Amino acid sequence: MAASTSPDIHEHPDIVALRARSEAAAAAPASQAAEALSLLAGLFLAASPWIVGFNDLNALAINNLIAGLAFAFVSMGMGNAYERTHSMSWAALGIGAWTIIAPWVVTGDVSTTRTVVCNVIVGGCMCLFAMITAGLALGGGGRRR
């Protein structure tokens, strides 16, 4: 068998252009701000039962802890390896949407004013940050040519 003389797939012009676009998106100030705010939103959601004062509602407290940590881990992954994980912004969007509806879906009577206001505001912010991150990935870092 003869050895293949075709170039390495990593040197293909389309792959090089995609990698450059991902690097530009990750380096954009809007992307970095969205990632930082995503991390803060996830950490706030995880701690919100104790900050806002509904830690006695065990089901929602555990839900917010898990969803907040998951969102924070997803946002950290988007910042560390953006070219391979920017599609995780859609998972972040799902976590944000779940956060919004959780007070009405989680078992027990947990839809108090505190829980609804906290989860809707934080979940809305999470959805917004996820859509910004996804939009920057699709648009090449916000630069239009």
Side-chain angles (χ1 to χ4, degrees):
M1 296 196 97
S4 175
T5 58
S6 63
D8 187 18
I9 188 70
H10 299 291
E11 297 172 8
H12 190 279
D14 291 340
I15 299 294
V16 172
L18 179 64
R19 189 168 290 133
R21 192 175 96 193
S22 294
E23 288 174 8
S31 177
Q32 293 174 353
E35 291 167 5
L37 291 172
S38 293
L39 178 64
L40 291 175
L43 293 176
F44 176 80
L45 181 65
S48 66
W50 296 274
I51 294 171
V52 178
F54 57 89
N55 57 330
D56 56 331
L57 303 172
N58 291 335
L60 189 62
I62 292 170
N63 175 78
N64 282 12
L65 178 65
I66 293 169
L69 291 176
F71 191 84
F73 286 134
V74 167
S75 67
M76 286 182 352
M78 288 186 294
N80 291 336
Y82 194 79
E83 71 183 44
R84 291 182 299 277
T85 60
H86 66 272
S87 61
M88 291 300 289
S89 60
W90 298 111
L93 182 63
I95 296 170
W98 169 255
T99 299
I100 293 171
I101 65 169
W104 296 284
V105 178
V106 171
T107 304
D109 185 23
V110 296
S111 61
T112 66
T113 303
R114 285 181 183 181
T115 61
V116 170
V117 169
C118 177
N119 277 36
V120 167
I121 291 173
V122 174
C125 290
M126 293 164 85
C127 288
L128 176 68
F129 301 146
M131 287 189 290
I132 289 171
T133 303
L136 290 171
L138 294 174
R143 296 181 194 165
R144 301 285 181 213
R145 294 178 190 173

